[in-house]
């Protein structure tokens, strides 16, 4: 299972990278705005900065919603760095853009996916990644994890290469459940990765080991 961090915050990206388990980064326009990164040139530079910190794939989202605009922007993003994956929204023109990029060897991440049907279409169009937003489904009292199971079943039935990138992860249990289901990737905040470390018995056990060592030395 690949671990991506879902942020545009360079400090958090560095921290996750330093942990040694980071496989990539996802961003979106809201995450960029949260870091105060505005203006096309600053945004493009920020993507390059992120690529220079991590070894893996970095999703960069298009803003255009028409096919011509998405192709123009996506090609510009893909040119920035070999690690860039072009993030395309799950809309009709987006499916056409994913197909175009797939035919032209440019990797894509189909974002804002909330149903198995959408995920099936994205795979048919040749998306590299599909991003079901599980947290946002949970937010509206729908089972986000069930969507991951449905997509896993469909992709396995037909051997689709599209990787399931469980997005809108909110906590460690989402990560664990996605791992059990067989999601290829998860993207979440740093806390959802670092939370996996924690267990009170580990802390208590370590404290006792150190205490006992001190007694004999
Ligand atoms: O990767 C998708 C993500 O950015 C959405 O997360 O927490 O805004 O639902 P959230």
């Amino acid at each position: 299972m690949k671990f991506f961090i879902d942020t545009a915050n360079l400090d958090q990206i560095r921290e996750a990278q330093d942990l040694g388990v980071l496989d990539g980064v996802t961003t979106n326009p809201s995450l960029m705005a949260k870091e105060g990164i505005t203006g096309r040139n600053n945004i493009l530079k920020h993507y390059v900065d992120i690529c220079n910190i991590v070894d893996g794939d970095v999703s960069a989202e298009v803003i255009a919603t028409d096919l011509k605009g998405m192709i123009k922007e996506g090609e510009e993003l893909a040119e920035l760095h070999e690690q860039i994956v072009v993030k395309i929204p799950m809309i009709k023109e987006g499916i056409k853009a994913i197909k175009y990029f797939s035919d032209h060897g440019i990797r894509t991440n189909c974002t804002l996916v909330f149903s198995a049907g959408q995920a099936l279409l994205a795979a048919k169009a040749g998306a590299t990644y599909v991003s079901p937003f599980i947290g946002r489904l949970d937010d509206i009292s729908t089972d986000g994890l069930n969507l991951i199971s449905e997509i896993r079943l469909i992709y396995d039935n037909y051997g689709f290469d599209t990787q399931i990138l469980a997005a809108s992860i909110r906590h460690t249990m989402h990560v664990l459940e996605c791992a059990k289901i067989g999601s290829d990737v998860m993207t979440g905040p740093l806390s959802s990765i670092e939370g996996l470390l924690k267990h009170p018995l580990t802390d208590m056990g370590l404290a006792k080991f150190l205490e006992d060592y001190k007694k004999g030395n």
Side-chain angles (χ1 to χ4, degrees), residues 99-169:
K99 175 69 179 145
Y100 172 89
F101 287 129
S102 167
D103 289 345
H104 288 79
I106 291 177
R107 294 176 308 142
T108 53
N109 174 357
C110 183
T111 189
L112 289 165
V113 166
F114 293 94
S115 77
Q118 291 179 326
L120 177 57
L121 259 184
K124 288 282 294 175
T128 312
Y129 296 102
V130 64
S131 288
F133 279 27
I134 64 175
R136 291 193 192 185
L137 282 170
D138 288 355
D139 288 346
I140 58 160
S141 305
T142 305
D143 187 352
L145 288 168
N146 185 52
L147 175 59
I148 304 294
S149 301
E150 286 184 332
I151 300 171
R152 181 74 284 153
L153 176 68
I154 292 168
Y155 284 9
D156 288 350
N157 279 348
Y158 296 98
F160 283 119
D161 291 334
T162 302
Q163 295 177 55
I164 304 173
L165 197 173
S168 185
I169 290 257

Side-chain angles (χ1 to χ4, degrees), residues 1-215:
M1 187 189 205
K2 290 188 207 166
F3 277 14
F4 288 1
I5 188 169
D6 192 31
T7 184
N9 182 291
L10 298 184
D11 289 337
Q12 289 188 16
I13 293 169
R14 274 190 209 97
E15 212 173 321
Q17 174 69 20
D18 286 350
L19 196 56
V21 298
L22 192 66
D23 301 298
V25 176
T26 50
T27 61
N28 62 39
S30 304
L31 293 171
M32 281 287 188
K34 192 173 162 195
E35 298 307 318
I37 313 296
T38 55
R40 193 72 192 146
N41 289 342
N42 291 334
I43 289 172
L44 296 182
K45 180 186 173 303
H46 204 71
Y47 284 136
V48 175
D49 290 344
I50 293 173
C51 288
N52 288 333
I53 296 173
V54 298
D55 297 325
D57 291 348
V58 175
S59 287
E61 189 154 344
V62 298
I63 303 301
T65 53
D66 63 296
L67 180 60
K68 208 173 147 195
M70 279 191 267
I71 289 175
K72 183 171 178 290
E73 259 187 68
E75 285 178 337
E76 187 182 14
L77 290 169
E79 278 287 305
L80 281 179
H81 200 283
E82 61 186 6
Q83 286 165 243
I84 293 283
V85 174
V86 180
K87 208 170 175 188
I88 306 280
M90 167 43 77
I91 54 176
K92 194 170 181 180
E93 297 303 288
I95 289 297
K96 294 178 194 172
I98 288 168
K99 175 69 179 145
Y100 172 89
F101 287 129
S102 167
D103 289 345
H104 288 79
I106 291 177
R107 294 176 308 142
T108 53
N109 174 357
C110 183
T111 189
L112 289 165
V113 166
F114 293 94
S115 77
Q118 291 179 326
L120 177 57
L121 259 184
K124 288 282 294 175
T128 312
Y129 296 102
V130 64
S131 288
F133 279 27
I134 64 175
R136 291 193 192 185
L137 282 170
D138 288 355
D139 288 346
I140 58 160
S141 305
T142 305
D143 187 352
L145 288 168
N146 185 52
L147 175 59
I148 304 294
S149 301
E150 286 184 332
I151 300 171
R152 181 74 284 153
L153 176 68
I154 292 168
Y155 284 9
D156 288 350
N157 279 348
Y158 296 98
F160 283 119
D161 291 334
T162 302
Q163 295 177 55
I164 304 173
L165 197 173
S168 185
I169 290 257
R170 299 282 167 76
H171 46 71
T172 55
M173 288 311 292
H174 272 157
V175 179
L176 284 179
E177 292 304 321
C178 283
K180 286 192 226 167
I181 294 165
S183 187
D184 301 289
V185 192
M186 79 86 197
T187 191
L190 183 59
S191 59
S192 68
I193 299 173
E194 290 191 335
L196 297 169
L197 276 168
K198 293 175 192 158
H199 198 289
L201 289 179
T202 303
D203 298 339
M204 285 161 59
L206 181 60
K208 180 80 172 95
F209 285 159
L210 296 179
E211 187 189 313
D212 290 345
Y213 173 81
K214 273 185 208 149
K215 280 183 201 159

